[in-house]
Amino acid sequence: MKTSKKFLFAAAGLSLTNGIPVTAQNNIQDRKPNVIYVFPDQFRNHAMGFWGEKGFKEHVRFKPDPVITPNLNNFARESVVLTSAMSNCPLSSPHRGMLLSGMYPDGSGVPLNCNSDRPISSLREDIECIGDVFKKNGYNCAYIGKLHVDFPTPNNPEAPGTYVNNDTPVWDAYTPKERRHGFDYWYSYGTFDIHKQPHYWDTDGKRHEIREWSPKHEADKAIEYLKNTGNVRDTSKPFFMVVSMNPPHSPYRTIEDVMEEDYNLYKDIPLDKLLVRPNANPQMEKAQCAPFYFASVTGVDREFGRILKALKDLRLEENTIVVFSSDHGETMCSQNTNDPKNSPYAESMNVPFLVRYPEKLKPRVEDRLLLSSPDIMPTVLGLAGLSRQIPETVQGTNFAPVISKEKNAPELPSVLYLRNLNGEKNADGKIISYFPEARGIKTERYTLAISIDKRHNIKHIFFYDDIKDPYQMNNLSVTENQEIFNDLCKQMGQLLKQINDPWYKDRILSSKIPY
Ligand code: CA
């Protein structure tokens, strides 16, 4: 008996179009892209070698760090590369809250770095986050690595009623299932900084103690997820996978923090050849960290490259959007500050943002777009074809049409800089409000930030012409540049009003900032 082709395909759960079998996986028109979002911590935009190469160096005003990043260099040639992605509140938890929710820190619930002294700072459970949206639209969602958006509670799965460690305050946290915002595969922790002894809680809350460099282990877990080792995802569904690596975050002081093979690449280079930015001071004690920081960058590059290779080997490359970014930068002896982040300086705010999507995006450098933290969620959803699914709570902008060149970048781009600080405490000594210590604005040309004390007196004004002075070595006088200052304050006031920021609500410095 002759069995019809149609019958066989139907029996296999497939359908026929013009005699060609069609599944959700191989119908290019309809299939949803996979999405991989990789973001190491404290990785500044300047720490990628391709910025020194033809095709890239013409677009930036800085000398790149002398780093070895072969995988990122190749990836950049296949990607849309942003010169000016900015972390608005360049600190771990506030950025992560914005990344996941598309809301500014005051709205996401995460204005401060999360620890057990700050119940004020914890990702809201009642809002739709990026994983929730992907899940709702038929995706499997995986989170691997550092999360750091939850207020730690005594919910240790191995010892209920206790915290996951005994620090004071407790920084690390276990995220129970009901707080995972759509991520159905879990291999994560709150925050923890011994790079060669990381730990993770898996989907079922089991703790895993690991004895290898965390980015290597996380790349292994990401590759397992891609290969579907252990049947952890439904291969008929697209996936959204976040890989959040801790290095090149500190500590970066000894061979215990990095891979020796990476350190060997930098250990004999004099510090003044490693710290090439003219605003850096190689005499600072912290300068000893530079070879370890750059070694971490090279190690992260290698592990990112392994994930990309697995994607290619599995033939998933064409239909997968891959983003490489960071939560904020690292000053590394620039501006004579020991604080690696949290400032309006370029080294702290400017982060990598590279998007590869072979099926839809032509590689190029985008140097007009100022994309910032709350824009990432709507933009990633937009790139994945889910622009109509962006929740109404989102305050950021979907820049997918700019990245895909269907639209031009905004004519007069500007993004906010925000810095918050502990506010009032409750009877238990827990911080229950915050003090919005500084606000600022970054435009194509200028950086302006104003910090205040608790009586709202101005403490400091950061004011730079980033075109004439890309290393921000000449703090402009307000009186000599009054018109520019006024104009920047006006723009900043409009942005603060739009997001209903505490500075707008309290009309802070209203004599200077016309809200
Ligand atoms: Ca961080």
Side-chain angles (χ1 to χ4, degrees):
M1 190 182 88
K2 196 181 165 195
T3 312
S4 82
K5 245 189 202 171
K6 198 170 176 177
F7 175 80
L8 279 177
F9 282 120
L14 304 171
S15 64
L16 274 176
T17 301
N18 300 329
I20 302 163
V22 181
T23 67
Q25 290 270 308
N26 66 11
N27 185 333
I28 287 174
Q29 288 306 310
D30 296 340
R31 67 181 182 173
K32 293 172 178 167
N34 305 305
V35 181
I36 302 179
Y37 190 90
V38 180
F39 75 119
D41 194 308
Q42 217 151 302
F43 196 119
R44 66 186 186 188
N45 187 38
H46 320 89
M48 296 187 289
F50 63 81
W51 287 126
E53 294 177 6
K54 196 168 171 290
F56 295 97
K57 65 181 175 190
E58 302 83 354
H59 292 272
V60 292
R61 289 183 177 79
F62 59 81
K63 240 187 278 180
D65 293 321
V67 281
I68 297 158
T69 54
N71 295 289
L72 280 163
N73 299 356
N74 288 334
F75 183 70
R77 288 180 211 109
E78 300 166 347
S79 299
V80 177
V81 182
L82 272 58
T83 58
S84 308
M86 297 290 158
S87 180
N88 310 80
C89 188
L91 193 63
S92 181
S93 304
H95 171 86
R96 289 156 190 272
M98 288 189 269
L99 166 71
L100 295 170
S101 71
M103 300 174 84
Y104 284 89
D106 200 40
S108 72
V110 196
L112 309 172
N113 261 349
C114 300
N115 71 38
S116 62
D117 271 354
R118 295 166 172 165
I120 173 100
S121 202
S122 195
L123 184 65
R124 279 168 58 184
E125 295 183 49
D126 62 336
I127 48 173
E128 249 189 294
C129 289
I130 188 166
D132 298 310
V133 180
F134 274 118
K135 185 188 174 184
K136 211 168 76 179
N137 285 280
Y139 277 70
N140 274 158
C141 301
Y143 198 101
I144 297 169
K146 175 174 177 174
L147 182 71
H148 204 199
V149 292
D150 286 336
F151 168 58
T153 58
N155 66 348
N156 186 349
E158 283 161 355
T162 69
Y163 289 100
V164 294
N165 66 28
N166 297 318
D167 299 345
T168 312
V170 183
W171 282 82
D172 200 2
Y174 167 66
T175 299
K177 277 189 181 172
E178 64 272 17
R179 303 215 56 184
R180 293 181 193 165
H181 279 288
F183 290 99
D184 53 71
Y185 174 89
W186 198 255
Y187 196 77
S188 176
Y189 62 99
T191 180
F192 184 73
D193 290 332
I194 303 179
H195 300 316
K196 288 184 181 170
Q197 294 180 29
H199 58 251
Y200 307 85
W201 286 275
D202 68 17
T203 306
D204 300 320
K206 185 175 180 319
R207 182 171 166 136
H208 298 261
E209 293 286 344
I210 307 301
R211 291 292 173 267
E212 65 183 345
W213 198 54
S214 58
K216 178 178 183 302
H217 183 66
E218 288 150 17
D220 285 342
K221 296 306 284 187
I223 293 166
E224 277 180 31
Y225 187 80
L226 295 177
K227 289 182 175 167
N228 199 23
T229 308
N231 211 19
V232 289
R233 64 186 177 91
D234 176 351
T235 51
S236 72
K237 289 182 172 184
F239 62 81
F240 169 52
M241 176 171 74
V242 178
V243 184
S244 169
M245 298 173 181
N246 197 22
H249 187 283
S250 55
Y252 30 44
R253 288 200 164 271
T254 76
I255 200 70
E256 285 310 303
D257 304 320
V258 297
M259 300 297 281
E260 197 168 354
E261 60 186 285
D262 300 323
Y263 177 62
N264 288 341
L265 299 170
Y266 299 94
K267 68 179 168 99
D268 298 323
I269 304 176
L271 293 180
D272 60 347
K273 297 276 183 298
L274 279 178
L275 297 166
V276 296
R277 297 175 71 78
N279 62 4
N281 176 4
Q283 305 303 319
M284 285 173 73
E285 199 195 325
K286 188 180 172 181
Q288 305 301 324
C289 298
F292 296 100
Y293 178 71
F294 295 135
S296 308
V297 163
T298 292
V300 163
D301 175 86
R302 179 181 50 254
E303 301 310 328
F304 178 56
R306 287 177 56 228
I307 297 172
L308 296 178
K309 182 173 182 303
L311 195 67
K312 189 173 187 176
D313 292 347
L314 292 162
R315 300 183 176 200
L316 291 168
E317 191 178 66
E318 289 295 307
N319 189 40
T320 300
I321 299 169
V322 180
V323 181
F324 183 88
S325 188
S326 181
D327 61 348
H328 51 77
E330 158 70 62
T331 51
M332 195 44 73
C333 304
S334 284
Q335 303 289 2
N336 275 306
T337 174
N338 276 312
D339 192 344
K341 51 209 167 191
N342 220 358
S343 60
Y345 296 125
E347 295 84 1
S348 154
M349 282 185 80
N350 189 193
V351 288
F353 201 89
L354 296 83
V355 190
R356 189 184 75 179
Y357 185 4
E359 237 167 46
K360 297 261 170 80
L361 297 179
K362 219 174 129 210
R364 67 190 176 87
V365 177
E366 169 58 62
D367 54 11
R368 293 294 315 274
L369 179 62
L370 291 186
L371 174 136
S372 68
S373 310
D375 305 324
I376 298 173
M377 171 196 183
T379 298
V380 169
L381 289 172
L383 287 166
L386 297 175
S387 53
R388 288 173 179 216
Q389 308 297 323
I390 297 167
E392 280 183 8
T393 46
V394 167
Q395 295 174 300
T397 303
N398 168 16
F399 284 122
V402 177
I403 287 174
S404 63
K405 270 210 130 179
E406 287 156 44
K407 272 190 188 171
N408 290 328
E411 277 301 315
L412 294 169
S414 57
V415 297
L416 285 168
Y417 163 74
L418 312 162
R419 180 185 168 110
N420 297 320
L421 220 74
N422 290 344
E424 295 107 75
K425 295 179 179 179
N426 67 10
D428 299 330
K430 304 262 189 242
I431 291 140
I432 49 150
S433 75
Y434 69 86
F435 165 61
E437 195 208 1
R439 292 295 182 264
I441 184 167
K442 164 82 187 110
T443 66
E444 263 184 317
R445 177 150 191 184
Y446 295 100
T447 296
L448 171 71
I450 307 175
S451 67
I452 52 169
D453 63 20
K454 292 197 175 174
R455 295 177 156 194
H456 299 181
N457 296 312
I458 292 178
K459 265 173 40 188
H460 188 69
I461 297 177
F462 304 77
F463 189 11
Y464 298 104
D465 182 335
D466 296 332
I467 289 184
K468 279 194 188 159
D469 175 27
Y471 294 100
Q472 302 174 321
M473 296 167 79
N474 174 32
N475 204 358
L476 297 173
S477 144
V478 172
T479 45
E480 287 168 24
N481 299 276
Q482 194 70 53
E483 224 173 289
I484 298 163
F485 177 83
N486 292 349
D487 187 50
L488 290 168
C489 283
K490 191 176 158 194
Q491 287 187 56
M492 175 162 66
Q494 286 165 356
L495 290 175
L496 293 172
K497 187 175 175 178
Q498 268 172 30
I499 66 163
N500 201 25
D501 184 84
W503 273 41
Y504 165 68
K505 285 190 270 191
D506 288 348
R507 303 295 194 277
I508 290 175
L509 299 184
S510 59
S511 63
K512 297 202 167 5
I513 305 172
Y515 292 104

